[in-house]
Amino acid sequence: MAAPMLRLCCPGRRWALACIDGCSRHRRGAPNGCTSSRKRGQSSVAQQPFITAQKPRKGEHEWAAVVGLEIHAQISSKSKLFSGSQVHFAAPPNSLVSFFDASLPGTLPVLNRRCVEAAVMTGLALNCRINKKSLFDRKHYFYADLPAGYQITQQRLPIAVNGSLVYSFCAGKNRSQVINKTARVKQIQLEQDSGKSLHDDLRSQTLIDLNRAGVGLLEVVLEPDMSCGEEAATAVRELQLILQALGTSQANMAEGQLRVDANISVHHPGEPLGVRTEVKNLNSARFLAKAIDYEIQRQINELENGGEILNETRSFDSKLGCTIPMRDKEGKQDYRFMPEPNLPPLLLYDTESLPAGADPQQVIDIDRIREQLPELPSVTREKLVQQYGMLPEHSFTLLNEVGLLEFFQNVMKETRAEPKKVTSWVLNTLLGFLKQQNLAVSESPVTPSALAELLNLLDRKAISSSAAKQNWKRFR
Amino acid sequence: MWARAWRLGLRALVGGRRGFTCKADTKGSGRITAEVIEHLERLALVDFGSQEAVARLEKAIAFADRLRAVDTDGVEPMESVLEDRCLYLRSDHVIEGNCAEELLQNSHRVVEEYFVAPPGNISLPKLDEQEPFSHG
């Protein structure tokens, strides 16, 4: 199931606490899993959290980690960024490919209006400054799934800059303390996705499917304001919720609609930042925090043993639970950026600057888009707290579980019971049950109506509380 | 050391960078080293082939260098010759695709409607493994 694993309680409350206190200060400890060996079957992976809380030794330095993220979100549109072929997840190979996507000579890019609107919406939701003029560039590198040999992106002047992503997580003994954190958004840019490579090691070949080539992506670059895996994972989760609320991306990591690369470095507090490594292809919410924490610990261990950190690109091996250097990525890449000669600058307007008599199809009005922005998750949570008097951390859980908010609202429609009662039943009884049975909300055997009926009976005192709990068992 | 010479040279070649005022640069003797050639060949997969070609490249760079004689202080760089043109916005409808058969005809090898490629990038042989300008 695609349930986000970034729940606010991690395995063991101790872990969450250790993270909050120790997030910016990491202690020495061996990362479990691989040591130096990269061969499979030689390292034993212990089932423990990655940063073992050991007693600090005398005279030990404290370490601070910084984590920056580059998040690629597939834009939810019918057709691709620069061509009219369809955007769809599962389709016969190479059936959703136009001549432009296959980079046949003589084809030219034509910008999709919906993708621009999606970028503006996302920029506004993240408090960015929308650049009224932005430019497209070519980023050159060779790989079989990039038929043109370059990717059209926005390196010089992206569409939105200087925003912020506010995320919160619950800490403290009962997770009752809500801590707000902010990660600065450096920029948001429009760019093309590449095709898909399927590696056939047996026959020493790679099979290329270009269905994904040319799909519009929003790259959201977050400054290195995060200090551990959990913070990064929570920030990504919040961004996911925002994108889903806006409708600009379905942001489903399992389907590859949201991909995260992390830039990680460690240093002693007060000293300059260390050399950073890039960990690519973190495509699962579950492994995002793990991979980042592993890499932080790996860097600390390396430096404490007198080694040095190479500015390299690594990927996360989920089976071994460690990061390994990526092949084909040695040394610094030179992308030879140049302006995209086939696309004029992208001009956006607001109500003031809108040219009179302009074709509405051909102009984009930032103010109009701002007026029509859907409700953001933070506002939804605030309304829940105000309307139903629920605790903030409950509003987080309601939004974090896919479909749970809708379930809750449907129950509220059909019941006269007190909101606090409904909240308690939905978050504790229902959710606890679903988690135990490993079911998504959509797979719940109990419908909102059924729960509403049960709660009504309880409310009318037609049944007792213990009878209600008994009845609950019968639903299963 | 060669990296600077390369950057100097490439600035004129690539052309798309921001307009730096390059009055302070004096390194431009115009010679392109073998390391630069190797780097370019690896990046762009062009084959310089012969000493003649390198000399031609050096002449081209020297020619473009004359641009630096122009004082561009306070002048906004031109990003695109299309800067007066309107960027056409296409509405989001599906109008192409569904031509897998046609596209696959372009490929030398095909496996079940997939293009076939080697397992990874095949790097050019390193400088010392290459024969110096034997071709071209």
Side-chain angles (χ1 to χ4, degrees), chain A residues 108-120:
Chain A
L108 293 172
V110 186
L111 184 56
N112 180 339
R113 185 197 163 86
R114 157 71 185 155
C115 294
V116 182
E117 287 171 349
V120 174

Side-chain angles (χ1 to χ4, degrees), chain A residues 77-86 92-95 97-99 102 104 110-114 116 133 135-136 142-144 156 198-199 204-210 327-328 334 336-337 339 341-346 361-362 364, chain B residues 6 10 14-18 39-45 78-104 106 109 111-123:
Chain A
S77 61
K78 297 194 206 113
S79 57
K80 295 183 181 177
L81 181 58
F82 291 117
S83 70
S85 40
Q86 193 186 8
N94 292 306
S95 60
V97 185
S98 68
F99 287 178
L104 297 191
V110 186
L111 184 56
N112 180 339
R113 185 197 163 86
R114 157 71 185 155
V116 182
K133 175 161 102 164
L135 305 168
F136 289 101
F142 290 115
Y143 207 64
R156 282 170 299 156
L198 301 172
H199 299 288
S204 200
Q205 62 189 16
T206 301
L207 304 179
I208 306 291
D209 173 13
L210 295 178
R327 129 196 108 117
D328 266 356
D334 182 346
R336 296 180 296 142
F337 285 99
N342 294 321
L343 292 170
L346 172 61
Q361 171 59 18
Q362 286 304 313
I364 292 194
Chain B
W6 160 61
L10 274 187
V14 173
R17 305 263 169 142
R18 298 249 173 121
H39 188 77
L40 284 175
E41 288 191 334
R42 193 175 292 273
L43 274 187
L45 293 184
M78 172 190 253
E79 289 106 4
S80 165
V81 291
L82 301 172
E83 62 183 13
D84 291 335
R85 301 286 295 271
C86 210
L87 177 52
Y88 177 77
L89 295 173
R90 181 177 56 83
S91 43
D92 187 28
H93 299 306
V94 176
I95 51 175
E96 341 176 57
N98 248 318
C99 48
E101 217 179 287
E102 269 186 276
L103 292 173
L104 291 166
N106 281 328
R109 281 180 62 204
V111 165
E112 274 182 43
E113 298 184 320
Y114 287 96
F115 295 99
V116 178
N121 281 351
I122 300 170
S123 297

